[in-house]
Amino acid sequence: MTDDFLVRRQEKNKPADEAQFTWFGPAGTTDRFRFLVTKELGDVISILPTREGRFKKGLEAWRWDEAEGGEPTLYRTLKTTGRRIDLRREDGPAA
């Protein structure tokens, strides 16, 4: 019985099929890390923090549409908390 409970709990921790992910990385590099999008309104996006990706208020980051290839869009970090990172799209080209 205990094993059955653990399996069900792990299944619930998976993101829903409609979950939206995006990739961010340090401005000026092609490094990218996947983040779960919690909210996106206009030029502002909120993502969940991860162990790999670190953000500080005021720093720039590039947003990528895919895990590989493509052109980045420049974002600036507005706010970071233990549960959320808020970024705003900046005008002008990223590269």
Side-chain angles (χ1 to χ4, degrees):
M1 284 190 135
T2 305
D3 291 338
D4 188 38
F5 169 76
L6 292 174
V7 169
R8 278 192 238 139
R9 183 172 180 156
Q10 288 174 352
E11 289 173 0
K12 289 182 180 180
N13 287 336
K14 294 179 183 177
D17 290 336
E18 63 272 1
Q20 180 185 358
F21 291 92
T22 191
W23 288 264
F24 276 96
T29 72
T30 58
D31 296 340
R32 33 189 116 173
F33 304 94
R34 189 173 96 151
F35 294 91
L36 178 65
V37 176
T38 59
K39 181 172 53 170
E40 187 166 9
L41 296 170
D43 289 345
V44 177
I45 185 171
S46 295
I47 57 176
L48 289 180
T50 66
R51 288 185 202 144
E52 296 84 24
R54 305 222 186 258
F55 292 79
K56 288 187 178 181
K57 183 178 176 181
L59 291 182
E60 294 178 340
W62 280 357
R63 181 181 183 186
W64 304 85
D65 292 330
E66 300 293 332
E68 295 181 12
E71 292 296 319
T73 304
L74 184 62
Y75 278 73
R76 183 170 306 278
T77 308
L78 299 174
K79 180 179 182 179
T80 63
T81 69
R83 296 181 178 185
R84 189 178 85 221
I85 301 167
D86 296 336
L87 299 109
R88 180 182 61 230
R89 183 174 46 222
E90 296 288 306
D91 292 333

